[in-house]
Amino acid sequence: MSDQAPGPGSGSAQHAYAHHTGGPPEGGGRGGWAAGGVMLAGVLMMVEGVLGMLQGIAGIAEDDVYGRVGEYVFEFSVSAWGWIHLVLGLLVAVIGAGILSGAEWAKAGGVALAALAVIANFIWLPYQPVWAIVSIAIGVFVIWALCSEDAPPPPRRH
């Protein structure tokens, strides 16, 4: 026997994944990263939801927690914003828990709700600029993570 590796097209089973029993990883090896991104997206949605609920409670309970905004196109009362953030935060937290449990419906709902939260935080910018920008960045990451997960490969036919 020769110690040289067979060349391309030689019909040998040796390749970069010869030491693995299952052959090359499905999906080009992105499965672990995508699954980790989805897990992080679920956790971030739960944290963002809880913080949104607290932000909403602060807006509802005390009208002087947030600064007054002068003339602004999307001007609502602070208590109205409080209710918006409370309801949105509750929905985001529930969807985040659904993502962590592996529910398929939660992924589509997570993308839609994260997009809605990004829009709401963009409109909320004059009230809490730094927190709104952080929330927008989290929402964009959640959308990316949920959309970039590889779909399960179709079953192989032998």
Side-chain angles (χ1 to χ4, degrees):
M1 283 195 136
S2 156
D3 287 339
Q4 292 180 346
S10 66
S12 173
Q14 288 187 351
H15 52 78
Y17 300 103
H19 60 281
H20 294 285
T21 58
E26 296 293 330
R30 285 185 52 209
W33 284 101
V38 170
M39 181 71 66
L40 181 58
V43 170
L44 285 175
M45 285 189 78
M46 287 187 66
V47 170
E48 182 75 19
V50 169
L51 291 175
M53 287 187 283
L54 294 174
Q55 189 176 12
I57 291 169
I60 294 167
E62 290 291 325
D63 209 65
D64 58 348
V65 172
Y66 299 111
R68 299 276 179 219
V69 176
E71 294 298 317
Y72 183 53
V73 175
F74 304 108
E75 186 176 345
F76 294 119
S77 71
V78 176
S79 61
W81 274 114
W83 282 107
I84 291 169
H85 282 290
L86 180 65
V87 170
L88 192 59
L90 177 65
L91 292 173
V92 168
V94 167
I95 293 289
I99 288 171
L100 289 177
S101 71
E104 287 297 318
W105 60 266
K107 291 178 186 171
V111 171
L113 212 52
L116 185 61
V118 165
I119 293 167
N121 280 299
F122 178 76
I123 297 171
W124 176 250
L125 267 169
Y127 295 91
Q128 289 285 315
V130 174
W131 182 247
I133 290 172
V134 169
S135 294
I136 289 169
I138 289 171
V140 169
F141 171 79
V142 165
I143 293 168
W144 172 82
L146 295 177
C147 289
S148 68
E149 182 184 33
D150 293 336
R156 286 189 185 183
R157 294 185 184 163
H158 295 279

